[in-house]
Amino acid sequence: MPDQEKRNPLTYKEAGVDIDAGNEVVERIKGIVGSTRTEGVISDLGGFGGLFALPAGMKEPVLVSGTDGVGTKLKVAFATGVHGTVGIDLVAMCVNDILTCGATPLFFLDYFATGALAPTQAQEVIGGIAEGCRQAGCALLGGETAELPGFYPDGEYDLAGFAVGVVERSEIISGRDIRPGDRALGLASSGLHSNGYSLARKALLEVQGLALTDRPSVLGSRTLAEELLTPTRIYAATVKSLRSEVKLKGLAHITGGGLLENPPRILPSGLGFVLDTGAWPEPPIFGLIAQAGVEKDEMRRTFNLGIGMLLVVSPADVGRTRELAEACGETVYEIGEVLETPSIQPGVTFR
């Protein structure tokens, strides 16, 4: 007891939480967050809640929300010290999901948690989140930076994101209008996106013994780290352009579950996809992963294999859809069609 009486007062910082570092992060990111401000934002950074006004003129606005994280792709960021791109992945994984309903992204919220807050690292991560929001055309409305001592290894953090968009009730894309004979178009991915990294890291780094600094010949001049940290493509501008010109009957974001499990989620009962595996070039990173002994079906149910978003349109709209998507910078492939199936449960077959 006498020793305790002489001890200096215990502080939050001594317990592992540096409030001053948190305040520094807020000051560093004010301009970054401000760069994402859109017309609907009616609050400033630092309040207890972010305020956003719904677009005027909508008859029956329906809010669409989505949440996701970056997963073990973060382990590559930790190993390389490159933190400026994983925030784009965070936004992409959430925004691409809500696009499938026909939603226009409105705003985004993030959750950044770490054991000991490093302001420069946090600034880089949040800078990437802001870049993702700019690409998606939505505002970074708010977020939480949590310092949790003892919860994470030194230098590591976790991310979660929350996207909110809006769509007219009458314009919701539900897949209910999909019919036999409709065509499946694929928008090219930028690589692995942010899915299957636990398997990819196991296959590449452990089984094959590659280092992140290696430059496998199939990747050209890129290091393995550069390939693995390529940000997820955000399809918001493309979907917006397409929706104004053609009828999109269905959209499937090819994330966890890959090409085997995601496309059937948008199909009515009694229909299935037949996908032509030779209709698009598979990026070499997937072949490199498969060399570790990953079987074809496991690849198909884990990775996007080069298709980041699948669109369903009528045969008459294929040409116009391709034209508009390419004008937005997309690479487009006609990858299959919708057929009747004897199974009540929708599925995917490959040919």
Side-chain angles (χ1 to χ4, degrees):
M1 288 295 294
D3 288 342
Q4 291 180 352
E5 291 174 0
K6 295 177 183 178
R7 194 185 190 287
N8 291 328
L10 185 62
T11 65
Y12 207 6
K13 184 174 183 179
E14 192 173 342
V17 178
D18 190 341
I19 295 175
D20 292 333
N23 292 336
E24 180 183 344
V25 170
V26 172
E27 288 301 314
R28 285 180 177 228
I29 66 173
K30 278 184 177 179
I32 295 171
V33 174
S35 71
T36 72
R37 192 179 184 95
T38 63
E39 186 177 345
V41 178
I42 55 175
S43 60
D44 295 318
L45 184 68
F48 288 103
L51 304 179
F52 196 97
L54 285 174
M58 298 188 74
K59 296 178 181 179
E60 290 187 276
V62 175
L63 295 178
V64 183
S65 61
T67 183
D68 211 332
V70 180
T72 58
K73 185 171 187 173
L74 292 177
K75 285 289 190 179
V76 184
F78 304 152
T80 60
V82 177
H83 305 286
T85 59
V86 289
I88 300 174
D89 292 294
L90 183 66
V91 177
M93 298 308 294
C94 299
V95 164
N96 286 343
D97 274 355
I98 67 171
L99 293 178
T100 64
C101 300
T104 297
L106 295 177
F107 59 84
F108 190 82
L109 303 171
D110 73 277
Y111 176 77
F112 173 91
T114 186
L117 192 58
T120 299
Q121 181 194 69
Q123 181 180 357
E124 290 175 2
V125 172
I126 296 169
I129 295 172
E131 172 58 24
C133 288
R134 290 190 292 269
Q135 290 182 23
C138 65
L140 179 52
L141 192 61
E144 165 71 358
T145 301
E147 194 169 20
L148 308 175
F151 225 71
Y152 300 96
D154 290 346
E156 297 195 2
Y157 51 84
D158 198 11
L159 296 174
F162 313 88
V164 175
V166 67
V167 61
E168 283 280 14
R169 181 183 291 271
S170 62
E171 298 175 5
I172 294 172
I173 300 173
S174 66
R176 63 181 177 271
D177 296 327
I178 297 175
R179 298 290 182 267
D182 285 338
R183 299 297 192 260
L185 302 181
L187 303 183
S189 70
S190 57
L192 287 174
H193 282 186
S194 191
N195 300 109
Y197 271 74
S198 295
L199 177 56
R201 290 168 48 247
K202 179 82 174 178
L204 298 169
L205 305 181
E206 294 185 30
V207 175
Q208 298 191 58
L210 295 172
L212 291 172
T213 53
D214 287 347
R215 299 178 188 270
S217 59
V218 295
L219 301 183
S221 62
R222 290 161 68 87
T223 66
L224 185 58
E226 288 169 339
E227 178 68 32
L228 295 180
L229 285 176
T230 301
T232 304
R233 190 163 181 81
I234 296 175
Y235 299 101
T238 301
V239 171
K240 181 179 180 180
S241 176
L242 290 173
R243 292 191 66 235
S244 67
E245 295 280 343
V246 299
K247 180 176 177 58
L248 296 176
K249 293 188 172 186
L251 293 170
H253 183 200
I254 311 303
T255 60
L259 282 171
L260 200 59
E261 296 185 3
N262 285 292
R265 295 165 64 181
I266 65 174
L267 288 176
S269 178
L271 298 181
F273 281 110
V274 177
L275 300 184
D276 299 309
T277 55
W280 73 94
E282 190 176 288
I285 184 63
F286 297 109
L288 193 61
I289 292 169
Q291 287 177 19
V294 184
E295 295 184 346
K296 187 174 295 184
D297 279 349
E298 189 69 11
M299 294 292 295
R300 288 171 175 169
R301 70 179 301 195
T302 305
F303 302 109
N304 66 62
L305 299 182
I307 301 297
M309 185 77 78
L310 182 146
L311 319 176
V312 181
V313 298
S314 68
D317 286 331
V318 168
R320 184 60 175 154
T321 302
R322 181 190 295 273
E323 180 184 356
L324 290 167
E326 289 177 347
C328 292
E330 305 293 351
T331 302
V332 187
Y333 305 101
E334 187 171 351
I335 63 174
E337 62 183 320
V338 178
L339 297 177
E340 289 187 270
T341 173
S343 172
I344 295 176
Q345 187 70 27
V348 176
T349 58
F350 297 87
R351 63 188 179 193

